Amino acid sequence: MNGVTPDPSDPIRNSDALSRLKLAQALDRAVYAIAWERAWPDLARLLTVVGLFLAVSWAGLWLALPFIARAVGLVIFAGIAIVALFPLIRFRWPSREEALGRLDRGSGIRHRPATTLTDTLSSQDPVAQALWQAQRERTLASLKRIRAGLPHPRLALHDPWALRALVMVMLVATFFAAGSERAMRLGAAFDWNGVLAPANIRVDAWVTPPLYTGKPPIILSAANKEAAALPVSGPLAVPAGSTLIVRSSGGNLDVVVSGGLKEVAPAEAAPKGTSEKHFTITADGTAHVRAPSGQPQWAFAATPDRAPTIALAKDPERQARGGLQLSYKIEDDYGVTGAEAHIALRSGDAKDAVKDGSKDSDGKAAARPLFEPPKFPLVLPNARTRNGVGQTVKDLSEDPYAGADVTLTLTAKDEAGNEARSEPFNMRLPERLFTNSLARALIEQRRILALDANRNSDVYTALDALLIAPELFTPDAGCYLGLRSLATQLEAARTDDALRNVVASMWAFATTIEDDGVAGSVNAALRSAQDALKAALDRGASEDELRVLTQKLREAMAGKVRDLARRAEQNPLGPRQPFPAEVQLILDKAIELRQKTQNATPEQLAELAQQQDALREQLQAYRKSANNRANKAGDDKTNQFTRDRKCGS
């Protein structure tokens, strides 16, 4: 045989070569069949042992046995497997003669046809060669009947009790019964490291709750590990986000976790000579120290951190100077770390703008505010408020949103990041009260422009209208020039930043008109001093810092008292005329307040500031009534003096 496949289309093909090819293929099949028959019984015996081991493991037998029994059982199974493998040592590959004999028996033809095809003729006699060729042709004619046949390992002779079928049924049943614990139950068979572990090994485990909970660590000592392992005791309740720390002194540390436990890298290196593992408990789960042995399986129930709650304790109140006072109730299981007040325009005040910024039903462009709605932090009753009522006073009188219809929402956040929102509260944001008519008009147009930059043309029209007939409405040259400057600045504004500058200029001009240009700086200085002292008290500043800030507040209050007295002297009746009785009483009160500010405490200073605000309002009311009386009397000199000093009164 030369290994070349003859071409059947070749008219002079060698029939002997074709027969040899077919015979070689049949011989290969016969060899493999004999090898399978010899090896399969021993392999089936080994697979039966392996299947029995898997079935026993998935059934949970190793979990119920002590560590010594696990080691013994594993050794027994290993010995049985070795015994099952021992016959394979004597395995020998089938020979060519054995394969030919199988083909001869499988063909059912006498005179060994397969063996005959492999014989050769050594004689050169023509008669002998002719007979030899005739015999080979008859054998080739029957070659299609030569078959190696299927292998017959005859397992029934080696396993008469059909234990292999029983093991197969057990394997399938336990596979589905173990579920997701297949790997864990199988690994328990090898969990017998404690048999050879040193006697001085120590394992410590404890649970550290998050710092913001204020709870102490939970020690998982030997005194409670038996109780932790009992199902009746139930899982150990711990705050979500706690850290399980397992430390072993000596030997290998092997911890298996499931459920909501996840291993994390330790923040610090473990002490020398110890092995340590950290796990974060985010949900219910278990932890089992498999090595060193003798440790229980702890079950944990993670208690989630509830979101805080915040709500208004009462409706917001307006303070004397236009400030906003909020009172609110806060609750949380571990304490609130921060709270904020968020203010947003109501849809009616925002011209019912659509969400996508397109045009509304009237065809006008949606409102485009120049400033973000105000938001500010809230004062907490304690550093970590679990249950309390807080109060915050915020001066928003200068904010562009002052006087607008808004929706107030309070938010609170705890250390875990949970956030709560109060029910929206609709209100009108407090604003500074202006007695001057021109100042009130400017503030109104300022708010319109700040809340909708698209209405800049309407605001320009209003400013232009205020410039009509200056001899009647704005006889003061400074007021007229100020209005003309505002109108020109607004007309030249092309960007949002430029429009914001116009809003700031309108506020500055309105306060200048209202306060006659002097009181504005005095009020700003007093407000700044009060805010600085309040912030220092809230953060617990040092005595030296409080002493300096208190002195600055006294100086600012003294300056305001002096300004009130100066403004009281500038009455329409003239400085040389005596003050009426009511004005004299007001001045006496101003002098008394000035004396009280010399040695007042911070709390008394705040109360005196409110009294001074009331005094200022009384002086303004008196001046307005005096103007009215002077106008009614027809005193031209007094009227001209009043018009020169006031804009749009």
Side-chain angles (χ1 to χ4, degrees):
M1 295 177 63
N2 54 11
V4 179
T5 303
D7 186 1
S9 62
D10 188 358
I12 58 173
R13 64 184 181 277
N14 191 338
S15 60
D16 187 65
L18 181 61
S19 64
R20 289 179 180 275
L21 174 62
K22 293 183 178 180
L23 179 61
Q25 294 175 348
L27 281 174
D28 291 340
R29 292 193 296 270
V31 168
Y32 293 142
I34 297 173
W36 180 257
E37 290 176 350
R38 291 179 178 178
W40 176 240
D42 298 330
L43 290 175
R45 190 180 300 109
L46 176 62
L47 292 177
T48 302
V49 175
V50 174
L52 181 61
F53 173 75
L54 292 176
V56 168
S57 300
W58 289 340
L61 176 63
W62 307 119
L63 298 177
L65 294 178
F67 295 100
I68 295 294
R70 297 181 188 181
V72 173
L74 190 62
V75 171
I76 292 175
F77 270 102
I80 297 175
I82 293 174
V83 172
L85 281 174
F86 186 76
L88 291 176
I89 299 176
R90 298 177 298 177
F91 175 81
R92 57 185 179 84
W93 193 254
S95 63
R96 178 182 177 87
E97 290 73 15
E98 292 174 334
L100 289 174
R102 182 182 182 89
L103 292 178
D104 291 337
R105 292 191 300 271
S107 63
I109 303 175
R110 294 181 297 173
H111 307 300
R112 302 182 301 164
T115 305
T116 301
L117 290 176
T118 61
D119 294 339
T120 58
L121 181 64
S122 58
S123 176
Q124 299 298 326
D125 184 13
V127 177
Q129 290 182 353
L131 293 175
W132 172 256
Q133 186 62 31
Q135 190 270 346
R136 288 185 63 84
E137 290 177 356
R138 285 196 300 268
T139 304
L140 286 174
S142 62
L143 185 62
K144 294 182 180 180
R145 299 174 56 185
I146 297 179
R147 297 289 186 272
L150 296 176
H152 298 284
R154 296 181 294 178
L155 289 179
L157 297 178
H158 300 275
D159 184 16
W161 299 95
L163 295 179
R164 60 189 183 280
L166 177 61
V167 171
M168 181 62 67
V169 173
M170 294 173 56
L171 189 64
V172 174
T174 55
F175 176 83
F176 290 102
S180 59
E181 296 183 356
R182 298 186 195 99
M184 187 268 292
R185 295 186 180 186
L186 182 60
F190 304 91
D191 184 13
W192 47 277
N193 294 321
V195 177
L196 303 177
N200 60 350
I201 284 184
R202 171 174 175 155
V203 175
D204 295 313
W206 64 93
V207 176
T208 303
L211 292 177
Y212 65 84
T213 62
K215 295 193 173 191
I218 303 173
I219 306 300
L220 305 177
S221 62
N224 63 2
K225 67 182 181 181
E226 289 81 4
L230 294 177
V232 294
S233 64
L236 180 64
V238 296
S242 300
T243 302
L244 169 65
I245 303 176
V246 183
R247 178 182 296 172
S248 172
S249 57
N252 296 326
L253 181 62
D254 183 15
V255 183
V256 178
V257 295
S258 63
L261 276 72
K262 182 180 180 182
E263 185 172 2
V264 295
E268 299 179 357
K272 187 177 181 180
T274 63
S275 179
E276 192 173 283
K277 289 191 176 184
H278 292 217
F279 304 90
T280 299
I281 305 175
T282 57
D284 298 351
T286 60
H288 182 203
V289 182
R290 299 195 307 180
S293 61
Q295 301 300 320
Q297 176 173 314
W298 291 293
F300 301 99
T303 304
D305 188 353
R306 299 193 306 271
T309 60
I310 184 171
L312 287 170
K314 58 181 180 180
D315 291 348
E317 298 178 355
R318 183 186 185 278
Q319 299 298 292
R321 292 186 299 166
L324 176 64
Q325 178 176 317
L326 300 177
S327 298
Y328 38 88
K329 181 179 178 62
I330 296 177
E331 292 183 1
D332 188 55
D333 46 2
Y334 297 122
V336 173
T337 58
E340 283 187 341
H342 297 262
I343 295 175
L345 276 177
R346 272 190 278 175
S347 58
D349 207 64
K351 307 299 182 182
D352 296 325
V354 294
K355 295 182 179 180
D356 58 359
S358 61
K359 294 184 178 181
D360 56 17
S361 58
D362 298 333
K364 298 180 180 180
R368 183 165 58 89
L370 291 173
F371 300 89
E372 292 292 331
K375 65 177 181 178
F376 52 90
L378 301 178
V379 179
L380 300 179
N382 303 304
R384 291 184 180 274
T385 303
R386 294 193 176 187
N387 189 350
V389 177
Q391 189 176 85
T392 299
V393 177
K394 182 68 175 179
D395 186 6
L396 298 174
S397 59
E398 299 184 9
D399 194 276
Y401 284 75
D405 293 329
V406 298
T407 299
L408 172 67
T409 305
L410 307 183
T411 63
K413 184 178 293 185
D414 59 13
E415 188 75 19
N418 300 316
E419 186 176 14
R421 303 178 69 88
S422 66
E423 291 293 332
F425 183 83
N426 295 328
M427 59 175 293
R428 173 162 290 182
L429 205 61
E431 60 180 331
R432 176 179 173 178
L433 299 179
F434 289 84
T435 58
N436 188 284
S437 58
L438 181 58
R440 288 199 305 270
L442 286 176
I443 291 302
E444 181 180 0
Q445 296 304 315
R446 168 184 178 261
R447 183 170 58 249
I448 293 175
L449 179 61
L451 300 185
D452 189 3
N454 297 325
R455 299 187 61 185
N456 57 348
S457 58
D458 297 340
V459 176
Y460 177 80
T461 302
L463 292 178
D464 188 60
L466 292 176
L467 296 173
I468 298 176
E471 67 279 0
L472 297 178
F473 301 104
T474 55
D476 183 81
C479 292
Y480 179 82
L481 292 177
L483 287 176
R484 173 59 64 186
S485 175
L486 285 177
T488 304
Q489 184 182 1
L490 178 59
E491 185 180 14
R494 293 293 181 268
T495 63
D496 288 351
D497 290 337
L499 293 175
R500 294 187 187 98
N501 292 333
V502 175
V503 172
S505 300
M506 295 176 73
W507 171 261
F509 189 48
T511 54
T512 301
I513 295 175
E514 178 70 17
D515 298 330
D516 289 340
V518 178
S521 60
V522 175
N523 293 335
L526 179 59
R527 188 178 301 109
S528 176
Q530 289 176 338
D531 293 341
L533 180 58
K534 185 176 183 301
L537 291 173
D538 291 339
R539 71 172 184 269
S542 62
E543 292 293 335
D544 295 338
E545 184 180 357
L546 292 177
R547 188 180 303 107
V548 173
L549 294 177
T550 303
Q551 181 61 30
K552 290 183 179 180
L553 180 59
R554 289 194 179 98
E555 295 174 356
M557 294 183 67
K560 183 172 183 179
V561 171
R562 287 193 300 270
D563 180 67
L564 291 175
R566 179 190 62 80
R567 293 167 61 83
E569 292 176 358
Q570 297 175 353
N571 62 85
L573 301 179
R576 295 183 179 181
Q577 297 184 8
F579 290 115
E582 59 269 24
V583 177
Q584 189 62 46
L585 290 176
I586 294 174
L587 292 177
D588 293 342
K589 182 65 174 177
I591 295 173
E592 180 184 355
L593 289 177
R594 182 177 181 181
Q595 294 175 351
K596 288 183 178 180
T597 58
Q598 299 299 323
N599 300 311
T601 62
E603 292 78 7
Q604 294 172 343
L605 289 176
E607 183 179 356
L608 292 176
Q610 296 180 358
Q611 296 179 11
Q612 289 173 347
D613 290 338
L615 177 61
R616 177 178 178 275
E617 294 176 359
Q618 292 176 9
L619 287 174
Q620 290 179 346
Y622 173 76
R623 185 173 60 185
K624 187 174 183 180
S625 62
N627 289 340
N628 293 336
R629 291 195 303 269
N631 290 333
K632 290 179 181 179
D635 190 343
D636 295 338
K637 181 179 180 180
T638 303
N639 291 344
Q640 183 63 38
F641 174 78
T642 303
R643 284 196 299 270
D644 291 342
R645 289 188 62 257
K646 297 293 292 179
C647 297
S649 58

